[in-house]
Amino acid sequence: MNEWQGVIHHYREYLPVSDATPVVTLLEGNTPLLRAYWLEQQLGKGFEVYLKYEGTNPTCSFKDRGMTVAVSKAIEEGQKAVICASTGNTSASAAAYAARGGIICAVLIPKDAIALGKLAQALVHGATVIALRGNFDDALRLVREITEKYPIRLVNSINPHRIEGQKTASFEICDRLGSAPDFHCIPVGNAGNITAYWKGYKEYLQYKKIEYTPRMLGFQAAGAAPIVRGFPIEKPETIATAIRIGNPASWKKAENARDESGGIIDIVTDEEIMDAYKIIVSKEGIFCEPASAASVAGLMKQAQRGYFKKALQEKGKIKIVCTLTGHGLKDPDVAIKYSPPAIESSTNIDEVVEKIGLSNKL
Ligand SMILES: *Cc1c(COP(=O)(O)O)cnc(C)c1O
């Protein structure tokens, strides 16, 4: 039977698991790699753009790839509880995998600063949710301290098992394309994911599954761009709550990914993020959350600046993958706020037809 059985099963030989590892899976991974035809048209000749849509994972973000490994290993090592700090998606994922694995989960989230859908997920899966009067960086500092003192496993991306699981996204992309892309665009928050993707590409090169690695292009929100600015941001601000992080745990590793791959880490403004968001949802038909759109915003910005000119001249055609990290339904408030409103009508057919605009549209 060729049915998909999750990332641990599919990429077992590349992961730190053995027959003794109790695999806790919700069949994460195997996510779509979609051609972005509308974007390609906008960017012009030679651009072949793909969107790696991680919103179709079981809890609707890429965090599940890492969480299946982190929770499985925690249970293998006898842990009875996991804990994380979260801008939302890590807590949603930890809560679900802990529930499935039959262990306790506690999450620390910044009060009033996570998207509604993510809060619902953590609560519904039975995690103990602590709404902290502080930001993500405060939450991470606290869980680090707690896990040093108490027998509870940290499942943020500083847990290396998270990175191991998340690197499988690179494997899937290469398996699908038959090669690595030339460039990989990705949002950067706590910087675990750019670290994981780069590790995945390097390992596939080492195993001779691919012949070259892509340049990694990471994008931070302008109000939360410590790596670009070169110092921690005390009060990070952005509409893209999933990347509202002022002092990323994998800061140095993200810089390594950038430098080893010959890539960049740059800034996109909230306005550019929301412009890209609108294109992804209304032109490509894919519902991602605001933070995810930072990858596409970065691609468009760099294209406009002529960053890809040299590669286009040399190769004629370039393959670019943008990771769409999470599902748009996680943040319904932003989705509704940035869309035209619903139009109210009576049940009179003439009024309905008029309000649809049938006579002047078709
Ligand atoms: C976690 C997350 C990010 C940021 O990933 P890092 O590994 O923290 O850099 C971006 N987008 C979404 C939707 C996320 O959940």
Side-chain angles (χ1 to χ4, degrees):
M1 211 168 57
N2 274 332
E3 216 173 287
W4 183 261
Q5 292 177 62
V7 298
I8 293 181
H9 183 265
H10 197 80
Y11 292 111
R12 174 172 284 276
E13 60 194 299
Y14 305 99
L15 295 172
V17 294
S18 70
D19 292 344
T21 312
V23 177
V24 179
T25 180
L26 291 161
L27 307 190
E28 60 296 312
N30 197 24
T31 56
L33 188 65
L34 292 139
R35 273 293 279 278
Y37 294 112
W38 195 91
L39 259 172
E40 285 180 7
Q41 283 233 308
Q42 295 298 302
L43 294 170
K45 215 167 146 351
F47 282 90
E48 200 173 304
V49 180
Y50 295 84
L51 305 174
K52 181 65 168 161
Y53 184 39
E54 292 288 279
T56 68
N57 275 299
T59 78
C60 308
S61 87
F62 72 82
K63 301 294 199 300
D64 295 343
R65 295 179 183 276
M67 208 54 76
T68 183
V69 180
V71 169
S72 298
K73 292 300 286 184
I75 292 174
E76 180 183 354
E77 290 158 20
Q79 299 277 339
K80 300 274 189 288
V82 292
I83 188 170
C84 65
S86 181
T87 58
N89 281 332
T90 302
S91 59
S93 188
Y97 282 82
R100 192 152 181 93
I103 57 172
I104 291 166
C105 177
V107 306
L108 269 64
I109 54 169
K111 186 176 173 294
D112 302 325
I114 80 166
L116 193 64
K118 305 175 187 181
L119 177 62
Q121 287 179 292
L123 293 170
V124 81
H125 290 305
T128 300
V129 177
I130 308 292
L132 204 65
R133 288 191 293 272
N135 61 28
F136 171 85
D137 302 290
D138 298 319
L140 185 60
R141 188 169 34 78
L142 276 165
V143 297
R144 283 177 126 147
E145 242 180 87
I146 291 168
T147 50
E148 273 166 25
K149 293 185 183 144
Y150 298 90
I152 183 167
R153 176 65 57 88
L154 185 117
V155 291
N156 280 102
S157 57
I158 42 178
N159 178 332
H161 296 141
R162 280 276 311 279
I163 304 294
E164 290 300 312
Q166 284 171 216
K167 76 187 178 189
T168 59
S170 295
F171 297 168
E172 285 180 16
I173 289 165
C174 298
D175 290 345
R176 254 295 307 285
L177 295 177
S179 75
D182 300 296
F183 300 90
H184 190 119
C185 302
I186 187 166
V188 176
N190 212 23
N193 213 25
I194 189 172
T195 301
Y197 269 90
W198 180 237
K199 187 168 197 287
Y201 284 126
K202 279 198 300 187
E203 287 183 10
Y204 248 28
L205 183 71
Q206 211 180 329
Y207 287 107
K208 302 204 175 352
K209 299 282 246 179
I210 51 175
E211 285 164 10
Y212 55 89
T213 52
R215 291 180 192 270
M216 300 299 299
L217 314 185
F219 298 100
Q220 300 195 293
I227 298 176
V228 180
R229 305 207 189 276
F231 50 84
I233 308 296
E234 193 109 353
K235 290 199 163 61
E237 268 312 326
T238 166
I239 191 166
T241 50
I243 52 173
R244 188 191 275 163
I245 291 173
N247 192 9
S250 299
W251 188 321
K252 282 280 158 303
K253 288 178 180 153
E255 288 181 339
N256 279 347
R258 175 194 65 195
D259 299 341
E260 287 175 20
S261 74
I264 56 171
I265 295 178
D266 197 15
I267 283 174
V268 285
T269 64
D270 277 10
E271 201 185 341
E272 288 164 334
I273 289 174
M274 291 316 294
D275 286 347
Y277 175 88
K278 284 180 204 161
I279 288 171
I280 299 162
V281 296
S282 69
K283 302 297 183 190
E284 300 294 354
I286 303 168
F287 199 9
C288 67
E289 62 175 285
S292 308
S295 60
V296 172
L299 164 60
M300 296 198 299
K301 188 171 195 163
Q302 293 305 325
Q304 206 152 38
R305 280 184 182 165
Y307 175 80
F308 301 104
K309 245 192 191 139
K310 193 156 159 265
L312 276 168
Q313 275 165 1
E314 280 171 15
K315 305 189 86 172
K317 202 165 95 174
I318 51 171
K319 280 186 191 169
I320 304 174
V321 174
C322 297
T323 301
L324 299 182
T325 44
H327 201 294
L329 279 174
K330 293 205 173 241
D331 202 340
D333 296 315
V334 166
I336 290 168
K337 188 171 164 204
Y338 283 81
S339 306
I343 304 163
E344 193 176 322
S345 172
S346 75
T347 56
N348 176 290
I349 186 168
D350 294 333
E351 186 183 346
V352 173
V353 167
E354 195 219 303
K355 287 193 166 155
I356 294 172
L358 278 180
S359 47
N360 44 22
K361 265 191 198 152
L362 299 167

